[in-house]
Amino acid sequence: MNKLRGLAMGVVAALALVAGPPGTPAAAAGGTPGDPPLPSYPGLPPASSSASLAAVSTTPLPCDDNGHDDLSLTRDQVLSRARTWLNVGGVPYSQYACYRNSLGDYRTDCSGFVSMAWGLGGRGDAFWTGNLDERSYVIARSSLQPGDALLRHTGDKDENHVALFVKWSNSAHTEPVVIEQTGSAGTIERTWSSGNAGLYTPVRYDNILDGNYDSFDGDARADMIVHSGTDVSVRLNTGSAWDGGRSVSSGWGRFHGMDVPDGMGRLYFADFNGDHRTDMIVHGGTDVSVRLNTGGGFDGGRTVSSGWGRYHGLQVPDGLGRLYFADFNGDGRADMFVHSGTDLSVRLNTGSGFDGGRSVSSGWGRYHGMQIPNGLGRLYFADFNGDGRADMFVHGGTDLSVRLNTGSGFDGGRSVSSGWGRYHGLQVPDGLGRLYFADFNGDHRADLIVHSGTDISVRLNTGSGFDGGRSVSSGWGRYFGLQVPDGLGRLYFAS
């Protein structure tokens, strides 16, 4: 990447200027220098008195080690972290102090603030405007996106500054809205003039998570959706498991599949409109409709396709096949996969529905599930290699293989795991459980989620397969579908 290695000029002189006089906390710490407040901030009044700033507790340098490597974060996560300092009324500026909250302990100057928002690892006073280039790279001004930064490091302590980019305030894209740590007003969100913005270099954090992903809450980690009876609830991914959940929709008691008594259809969960949040796709009778994610649930919906009355699975009388929803072409919006007999076709998302489709693979007539006479296995669609396009997972007998998306179809595949012969569902004789594929840890690669008996474990994607796994949740023994005796519902993993 085009690193900002040329920004630090006159480093020796700059160190002397910003480290403070002998005996100050910065000098005593012997660590990285901080960034003094600017003499003035264009558009802001002179520095406020300390009484008018937030009453938050800070500690002298050095800041603590935050106990983790540099985090990989989505843009929403970066802005959410930044707003934790805004939400306490703003943190007072000092290059000699540290502020600790649930996200870590960071120096309270402009570079410490950006370090916190980006989740930089190690000590919270390890970075300043003179070395943020070690964790970022220069981008075009036209490429600025939320969570990027505007950096100025000239070697002059009266000019060095950095701010977090939020959005453009004008259609000409010359006046940015930023969140910054200022000597005048602590942490604030405001709009810069085009003249001020022009003095700064746009940079992007090395570990920002771009590309295609979705979850219910818009981060890159798969949440668990529980369809229990008539209700749909969501348990958000905490990084090591899922939280206690909340109800997000109701009235879906007859949407556990057409092979359930009085069944009217089934539900799917995928990002239809490309906003990184999982929407609810309803296959009801012949129609497919979409209910968009509102943040706290789903809207009233709209029909996006019809004519699919015989695509509720081959286990249903007169069934021709089934549907899947995943992003085939990498544009961030879920496309519709149609598995009809032996053939697999894809209908691309047009924004308001799906196009007429094209065939992308064939020879899958015995992969409609092991519950079908002569069935050999089943198919799944998720992004294995992190390129933003859905690959095809083939669960055939005991083996699991992946066929990578080539843009027009799928390649010949490779085996990535084995020993899963009893994980084709509890409706299959001697079944122990079933498999799912979704991105649990937010690295944009689908992990293997194993629902075995009452337990759920996750095997993380290693690039060529999956690791040995860890248990992440329990108590789900009756959630293999209403088709199973005593079943209460089923699970989905939104990613």
Side-chain angles (χ1 to χ4, degrees):
M1 290 180 287
N2 185 18
K3 293 287 186 180
L4 279 171
R5 307 306 181 206
L7 283 179
M9 301 182 64
V11 172
V12 174
L15 291 177
L17 285 167
V18 300
T24 64
T32 304
D35 288 293
L38 298 178
S40 64
Y41 294 82
L44 289 182
S48 304
S49 68
S50 59
S52 67
L53 296 177
V56 299
S57 297
T58 60
T59 56
L61 293 177
C63 301
D64 290 341
D65 189 314
N66 287 303
H68 58 74
D69 294 332
D70 297 343
L71 300 180
S72 295
L73 299 172
T74 67
R75 297 184 179 282
D76 287 342
Q77 288 173 319
V78 169
L79 293 184
S80 178
R81 291 172 67 92
R83 290 198 166 98
T84 62
W85 285 25
L86 281 175
N87 292 342
V88 296
V91 174
Y93 193 108
S94 173
Q95 75 270 33
Y96 301 134
C98 308
Y99 172 63
R100 171 177 289 281
N101 65 11
S102 63
L103 303 177
D105 192 40
Y106 289 90
R107 196 178 56 236
T108 59
D109 60 1
C110 60
S111 48
F113 166 71
V114 170
S115 296
M116 179 278 299
W118 283 353
L120 298 187
R123 272 176 42 175
D125 56 2
F127 291 92
W128 68 305
T129 55
N131 67 358
L132 279 175
D133 63 296
E134 296 176 6
R135 295 295 187 272
S136 64
Y137 58 100
V138 176
I139 59 173
R141 196 168 298 272
S142 60
S143 297
L144 275 166
Q145 296 183 59
D148 294 333
L150 290 163
L151 174 65
R152 189 182 189 195
H153 182 78
T154 66
D156 183 341
K157 67 182 180 63
D158 291 338
E159 296 178 344
N160 300 337
H161 189 53
V162 63
L164 200 68
F165 179 82
V166 178
K167 62 183 180 180
W168 293 110
S169 69
N170 62 338
S171 59
H173 288 188
T174 58
E175 298 176 353
V177 176
V178 301
I179 304 176
E180 60 180 326
Q181 187 71 352
T182 70
S184 295
T187 321
I188 60 171
E189 181 171 351
R190 67 183 183 120
T191 300
W192 279 3
S193 70
S194 59
N196 188 42
L199 299 174
Y200 288 76
T201 299
V203 299
R204 178 162 296 160
Y205 175 40
D206 286 343
N207 289 2
I208 200 74
L209 290 174
D210 274 321
N212 299 331
Y213 61 86
D214 71 277
S215 66
F216 182 80
D217 62 347
D219 67 12
R221 303 178 303 186
D223 303 312
M224 180 166 68
I225 298 179
V226 182
H227 185 188
S228 181
T230 64
D231 293 333
V232 174
S233 63
V234 174
R235 299 192 170 213
L236 298 180
N237 189 316
T238 64
S240 58
W242 292 284
D243 70 12
R246 74 276 308 137
S247 177
V248 293
S249 192
S250 60
W252 303 104
R254 297 179 67 184
F255 285 82
H256 289 267
M258 293 290 278
D259 49 347
V260 173
D262 297 322
M264 297 181 65
R266 66 155 291 178
L267 307 179
Y268 301 84
F269 296 88
D271 182 9
F272 179 78
N273 63 347
D275 67 353
H276 299 306
R277 299 188 303 182
T278 302
D279 305 308
M280 181 164 67
I281 300 175
V282 182
H283 185 188
T286 66
D287 293 334
V288 173
S289 63
V290 174
R291 299 196 170 209
L292 297 179
N293 187 318
T294 62
F298 303 100
D299 70 10
R302 73 278 307 139
T303 297
V304 293
S305 192
S306 60
W308 304 104
R310 299 179 66 183
Y311 286 85
H312 290 269
L314 292 191
Q315 73 275 21
V316 176
D318 297 323
L320 294 176
R322 65 156 293 176
L323 307 178
Y324 304 84
F325 296 88
D327 182 9
F328 179 75
N329 63 347
D331 68 353
R333 303 180 303 184
D335 306 306
M336 182 165 68
F337 289 79
V338 182
H339 187 186
S340 181
T342 65
D343 293 332
L344 182 68
S345 62
V346 173
R347 300 195 170 209
L348 297 179
N349 188 318
T350 64
S352 58
F354 303 99
D355 70 11
R358 74 277 307 135
S359 177
V360 292
S361 192
S362 61
W364 304 105
R366 298 179 67 183
Y367 285 84
H368 288 266
M370 293 289 278
Q371 73 275 27
I372 305 301
N374 299 319
L376 293 175
R378 67 155 289 180
L379 308 178
Y380 303 82
F381 298 90
D383 183 7
F384 179 76
N385 63 348
D387 68 353
R389 302 180 304 185
D391 305 305
M392 180 165 67
F393 289 82
V394 182
H395 186 187
T398 65
D399 292 334
L400 183 65
S401 63
V402 173
R403 299 194 171 211
L404 298 179
N405 188 318
T406 64
S408 59
F410 302 98
D411 70 11
R414 74 277 308 138
S415 177
V416 292
S417 192
S418 60
W420 304 105
R422 298 180 67 185
Y423 286 84
H424 289 269
L426 291 193
Q427 70 273 32
V428 175
D430 297 322
L432 293 176
R434 66 156 293 177
L435 308 179
Y436 303 84
F437 298 89
D439 181 10
F440 180 78
N441 64 347
D443 68 354
H444 293 312
R445 302 182 303 182
D447 305 306
L448 174 66
I449 300 176
V450 182
H451 186 186
S452 181
T454 64
D455 293 334
I456 296 173
S457 62
V458 174
R459 299 193 172 212
L460 296 178
N461 188 318
T462 64
S464 58
F466 303 99
D467 70 11
R470 72 278 307 140
S471 177
V472 293
S473 192
S474 61
W476 303 103
R478 297 179 68 183
Y479 285 84
F480 287 91
L482 293 192
Q483 297 84 347
V484 176
D486 297 322
L488 293 176
R490 67 155 292 177
L491 307 179
Y492 303 82
F493 295 90
S495 171

